[in-house]
Amino acid sequence: MPMIEMSSVNKWYDDFQVLKDCSTQVAKGEVVVVCGPSGSGKSTLIKTVNGLEPFQEGTITVDEISVGDPATDLPRLRARIGMVFQNFELFPHLSIMENIKLAQLKVLNRTDDESAKRGMELLDRVGLVDQADKFPAQLSGGQQQRVAIARGLAMDPIAMLFDEPTSALDPEMINEVLDVMTALAEDGMTMMVVTHEMGFARRVAHRVIFMDEGRIEEDCTKDDFFGTARGERAQEFLSKILTH
Amino acid sequence: MNYNWDWSVLFCFVEDPVSSCTQPFFYWIVSGFGWTISVAAAAWVIAFSLGSVIGVLRTVENPYLRGFATVYVTIFRNIPLLVQMFLWFFVFPELLPDEAGKWVKRGMPLPEFWTAVVCLGTYTASRVGEQVRAGIEAITQGQRYAAMAMGLRPVQVYRYILLPVSYRIIIPPLTSDFLGVFKNSSLALTIGVLELTAQTRQIEEYTFQGFEAFTAATLLYIVVTAIVMAVMRVVEGRVVIPGMISLGAK
Amino acid sequence: MFENFDFEIIVTSIPFLIEGMGLTLLLTVLAIVGGLALGTVLALCRLAPYRWLSLFAGSYVNFFRSMPLILVIFWFYFLVPFIVGRPVGGFYSVLVAFIMFEAAYYCEIMRAGIQSVRQGQVHAGQALGLTYRQNMRYIVLPQAFRAMIPILLTQAIILFQDTSLVYVVGLRDFLVAADIVANRDNRLMEMFLTVALVYFVMCLAGQLGIRKIQKKFATG
């Protein structure tokens, strides 16, 4: 049974269709990179997985729980799926440690000690133990994004979603974030990653999804995608991205 | 202009019409000041809590709740405060069932005081509500998504993320709303609360030396305003979020 | 609750109420004109390069913004005849009070409007060789004006509502006219609800008008 399964998902904003008949699956422990030109619907697609973006047609299940079913307790499901955003989205009024503790305390009902202990483990893992008492605005973009990853992991998620995690970063900070993600993949985390970082895709991904105009145009293994088996649009996209 | 300033007037002893104790006029000002502070403080408690609820409702998805809050703000902002005061004092008790109406008019303690408090509180709540809404709307959609993605429920998203951030960035306009309720408490004199402004007017009527009392009251208003602004500046400095700027006072 | 609601009394008192509304509107318009004039002078002083001028304007604004309008009305109600040396009638005293009070608020709105124009715009004007006056006239003020218009109009609606405070000195404006009828015939509910409704409709219409103007400015 796949960890994430989407079938025939359609989504409209008023008259404009942003997702067209999207189907795919992500197996347990699999790393799937989603790429495509801006406006292709990839960010929307990943936000439908934990129900941040509602969709009108089709089904999405995560660990066999239906996301679109009105009876599903979405907050409870979301607590089991970590998510990392383009603009980090750390909470500015909370310290780094408080950011990591908040959902552990309020959603998982862990004790203060437990959450702090787990928080420290994860800050250690992303190399930021000494920043625990600072506030988000006092950290660099790369550091903030590593904290955001730690915050997601603190919930002991069954899968992690990354929505363009490096595209708001200065070039010299991209690698520190990608390194953390690579290590996470090597540990066997199920990951769905929207990104333009083709180097990361080549090294880490198992599969690559290419989207264009709301449609999944390619959905194949990494080797096929970077080999010759891809279509014209994907070819064009890759040539633009790799030569810029 | 040849006004005979005579500050000793404020220290003349006179029989208080309410308590029939003999006190200097000066004491009337002190007592009026006490009522001004009490009305303003009690009204602010209502304004802040009710205003927060209204502000939150203005931003929720449910169209009925949002509509209710919008109607509330529209009504309370488009009727002069003095007219609202009269509606609460003269009309509201008539609209209640007989028993309740009688209680509001005569039964409850300090009817004028509490009417003024409710009137000023509900009116100022509409202003506070607009500030809270502006604060919440200044927070990016991404923050809301991030909070939801962690599994926080809608109430928790407001409780732990949206409201705490909003309050911090709207401290300047909230301060000006608080000073607004402090100054507007003078309207309570129209229904018979003997607050600061009412007392100065009364001293004028007794002594025909009004400017001394007006000056004393003016100084008190200015001093309190200055203190509140200074305190709030310190508070703002304490809770300021690194890297964020606050919304300007209107 | 409304079984003995007397519509008759409202209808028969319409001419009397209209007279009151006339005074309300007259006071509002004159206070806006006077307040804007004095407020503009104050705003220019506030932004003037002379320290004592801007300090004076700043103190004026802070002083009036710290005071309740009712107290200001009382002050001028007694002060104006005193300065003039003879009784001038409540209307003129109150008008002076409103002009002095509103000017403080208009000054702040204009100052904020002018300061909201980005420094880069001023520099761009200077770089083109415009003089201080030309820069103000062609670059800064037109932009500042757009930013201020909706706020100035909103302030006008607030002033319109605030004129009801002349109640405290008994000038016969809209509210006092209604109050007189209400107390004479013991019809408080009818009269005060009517007053509230009329004010509400007028203010709401004003507000919607402002929103339209705002949209026009935003698109064109």
Side-chain angles (χ1 to χ4, degrees):
Chain A
M1 203 56 203
M3 184 66 89
I4 299 168
E5 182 164 29
M6 312 182 114
S7 62
S8 309
V9 172
N10 285 290
K11 175 179 171 67
W12 288 265
Y13 285 126
D14 296 323
D15 287 342
F16 181 69
Q17 189 167 8
V18 277
L19 295 179
K20 297 172 187 161
D21 198 31
C22 296
S23 303
T24 189
Q25 11 185 289
V26 181
K28 190 172 186 311
E30 196 175 23
V31 176
V32 175
V33 161
V34 183
C35 61
S38 61
S40 60
K42 52 196 194 306
S43 270
T44 309
L45 183 82
I46 201 170
K47 287 198 184 91
T48 57
V49 173
N50 62 354
L52 288 181
E53 292 279 5
F55 51 94
Q56 286 82 22
E57 283 174 14
T59 54
I60 300 176
T61 59
V62 179
D63 195 26
E64 294 177 50
I65 298 166
S66 167
V67 176
D69 184 349
T72 300
D73 184 355
L74 270 182
R76 201 165 156 192
L77 179 62
R78 286 178 186 138
R80 302 172 59 209
I81 310 168
M83 186 159 198
V84 174
F85 296 83
Q86 181 175 0
N87 293 310
F88 333 133
E89 305 300 353
L90 296 183
F91 303 125
H93 61 304
L94 302 178
S95 72
I96 298 308
M97 183 47 90
E98 286 167 340
N99 260 281
I100 299 179
K101 274 168 29 178
L102 180 70
Q104 297 187 67
L105 293 169
K106 304 301 174 190
V107 177
L108 301 182
N109 296 317
R110 287 183 184 156
T111 66
D112 198 69
D113 285 347
E114 283 169 351
S115 351
K117 188 165 162 280
R118 183 82 183 113
M120 271 306 178
E121 283 167 23
L122 288 161
L123 279 182
D124 186 37
R125 189 158 157 193
V126 299
L128 292 169
V129 173
D130 49 340
Q131 312 288 338
D133 294 325
K134 288 197 177 158
F135 282 84
Q138 296 168 311
L139 269 56
S140 72
Q143 290 174 321
Q144 288 191 52
Q145 196 61 301
R146 279 143 68 197
V147 172
I149 295 172
R151 183 175 73 177
L153 291 175
M155 304 294 284
D156 299 318
I158 53 172
M160 287 287 285
L161 307 173
F162 294 82
D163 183 12
E164 304 207 32
T166 58
S167 50
L169 292 175
D170 292 333
E172 73 272 17
M173 293 173 185
I174 291 178
N175 279 333
E176 61 185 80
V177 172
L178 291 181
D179 288 348
V180 170
M181 290 167 62
T182 305
L184 197 56
E186 281 163 2
D187 281 356
M189 176 61 77
T190 308
M191 291 162 66
M192 200 166 168
V193 185
V194 173
T195 186
H196 290 272
E197 295 296 330
M198 288 302 122
F200 173 80
R202 257 182 226 275
R203 271 184 288 116
V204 182
H206 301 111
R207 268 185 28 244
V208 177
I209 290 175
F210 173 76
M211 288 189 74
D212 191 36
E213 293 179 353
R215 212 178 282 283
I216 292 181
E217 294 289 350
E218 308 276 342
D219 184 352
C220 50
T221 64
K222 164 177 69 179
D223 293 335
D224 282 347
F225 187 75
F226 290 109
T228 51
R230 58 180 181 250
E232 198 182 320
R233 294 287 294 159
Q235 189 84 37
E236 200 185 314
F237 171 74
L238 269 186
S239 69
K240 271 186 195 154
I241 260 207
L242 296 177
T243 55
H244 81 174
Chain B
M1 174 176 162
N2 49 357
Y3 181 77
N4 294 317
W5 288 92
D6 180 9
W7 290 97
S8 66
V9 142
L10 294 183
F11 302 95
C12 280
F13 279 76
V14 66
E15 192 175 302
D16 188 297
V18 183
S19 64
S20 43
C21 313
T22 306
Q23 289 152 337
F25 282 120
F26 171 74
Y27 180 80
W28 292 15
I29 291 180
V30 172
S31 137
F33 183 64
W35 282 110
T36 290
I37 297 288
S38 313
V39 171
W44 182 250
V45 172
I46 296 180
F48 186 76
S49 35
L50 182 60
S52 298
V53 173
I54 296 289
V56 166
L57 291 186
R58 290 271 270 163
T59 65
V60 297
E61 255 174 69
N62 184 313
Y64 296 104
L65 293 175
R66 223 174 43 221
F68 166 78
T70 307
V71 168
Y72 181 96
V73 171
T74 309
I75 288 179
F76 281 86
R77 291 193 86 160
N78 284 306
I79 296 176
L81 180 54
L82 183 55
V83 176
Q84 293 186 32
M85 190 71 83
F86 289 170
L87 288 180
W88 282 111
F89 195 62
F90 297 116
V91 179
F92 175 68
E94 305 294 330
L95 301 179
L96 292 174
D98 264 2
E99 286 305 306
K102 262 181 207 147
W103 184 78
V104 168
K105 271 196 278 191
R106 287 179 220 96
M108 73 175 181
L110 301 175
E112 296 88 1
F113 172 81
W114 288 113
T115 304
V117 165
V118 168
C119 172
L120 289 164
T122 50
Y123 167 79
T124 311
S126 70
R127 310 189 68 89
V128 171
E130 286 300 273
Q131 314 293 10
V132 170
R133 174 179 72 101
I136 292 173
E137 284 177 353
I139 300 166
T140 59
Q141 179 71 7
Q143 287 278 302
R144 202 187 273 255
Y145 276 158
M148 285 159 64
M150 298 165 79
L152 293 179
R153 294 181 185 279
V155 172
Q156 291 177 311
V157 174
Y158 277 96
R159 163 86 178 74
Y160 297 113
I161 309 299
L162 299 179
L163 275 176
V165 175
S166 170
Y167 284 141
R168 282 170 168 87
I169 59 183
I170 62 172
I171 286 178
L174 275 189
T175 305
S176 106
D177 281 337
F178 174 75
L179 291 171
V181 85
F182 170 63
K183 290 180 286 178
N184 284 333
S185 64
S186 57
L187 268 72
L189 72 85
T190 60
I191 58 170
V193 177
L194 288 175
E195 46 66 70
L196 184 53
T197 304
Q199 291 287 18
T200 60
R201 184 79 179 84
Q202 213 174 197
I203 294 173
E204 196 277 336
E205 275 168 5
Y206 269 66
T207 63
F208 299 106
Q209 292 282 114
F211 294 149
E212 288 83 355
F214 291 164
T215 306
T218 302
L219 286 177
L220 280 173
Y221 281 114
I222 288 176
V223 166
V224 171
T225 301
I227 291 175
V228 169
M229 303 240 295
V231 168
M232 291 316 288
R233 213 161 293 152
V234 172
V235 170
E236 198 187 355
R238 285 263 169 87
V239 303
V240 74
I241 300 170
M244 282 190 98
I245 49 160
S246 43
L247 300 179
K250 273 195 206 124
Chain C
M1 190 160 72
F2 286 105
E3 60 270 20
N4 41 22
F5 195 90
D6 184 1
F7 285 101
E8 186 96 20
I9 185 77
I10 299 169
V11 177
T12 54
S13 57
I14 283 178
F16 191 64
L17 291 180
I18 288 182
E19 236 171 85
M21 183 52 85
L23 186 126
T24 295
L25 291 173
L26 182 66
L27 187 57
T28 306
V29 170
L30 292 179
I32 289 175
V33 173
L36 268 179
L38 183 56
T40 310
V41 174
L42 283 169
L44 290 176
C45 293
R46 190 85 207 263
L47 296 169
Y50 308 104
R51 213 180 129 64
W52 57 274
L53 252 188
S54 84
L55 203 69
F56 164 77
S59 317
Y60 179 99
V61 168
N62 283 336
F63 179 75
F64 277 98
R65 297 223 304 180
S66 304
M67 271 219 271
L69 180 50
I70 291 187
L71 187 58
V72 177
I73 292 174
F74 281 150
W75 259 115
F76 284 92
Y77 189 70
F78 293 100
L79 195 60
V80 171
F82 214 89
I83 293 174
V84 177
R86 60 185 168 79
V88 293
F91 181 79
Y92 291 101
S93 304
V94 165
L95 179 59
V96 172
F98 272 100
I99 289 175
M100 302 285 281
F101 185 77
E102 285 304 309
Y105 287 82
Y106 285 131
C107 168
E108 269 309 275
I109 294 170
M110 286 190 258
R111 184 188 62 83
I114 291 172
Q115 288 185 338
S116 74
V117 178
R118 281 182 300 114
Q119 195 66 28
Q121 291 285 308
V122 179
H123 288 162
Q126 285 170 341
L128 289 170
L130 298 181
T131 64
Y132 177 81
R133 286 180 72 108
Q134 286 174 324
N135 216 353
M136 270 285 170
R137 165 84 181 73
Y138 297 109
I139 311 293
V140 177
L141 287 180
Q143 296 188 51
F145 201 57
R146 282 183 178 215
M148 305 187 293
I149 282 284
I151 308 173
L152 286 174
L153 290 172
T154 305
Q155 183 64 28
I157 294 184
I158 295 173
L159 169 61
F160 171 63
Q161 295 189 12
D162 279 350
T163 57
S164 61
L165 293 184
V166 300
Y167 171 89
V168 298
V169 292
L171 279 194
R172 196 176 291 176
D173 77 327
F174 184 53
L175 174 60
V176 171
D179 185 57
I180 290 171
V181 179
N183 282 304
R184 186 193 61 198
D185 298 346
N186 200 18
R187 287 287 170 197
L188 284 85
M189 178 154 70
E190 288 84 347
M191 296 316 292
F192 288 141
L193 283 177
T194 306
V195 168
L197 187 68
V198 171
Y199 269 118
F200 178 76
V201 169
M202 291 179 74
C203 294
L204 191 62
Q207 224 187 40
L208 296 177
I210 293 173
R211 211 168 292 166
K212 242 187 193 159
I213 293 172
Q214 235 169 341
K215 259 189 203 145
K216 219 176 187 178
F217 271 115
T219 52

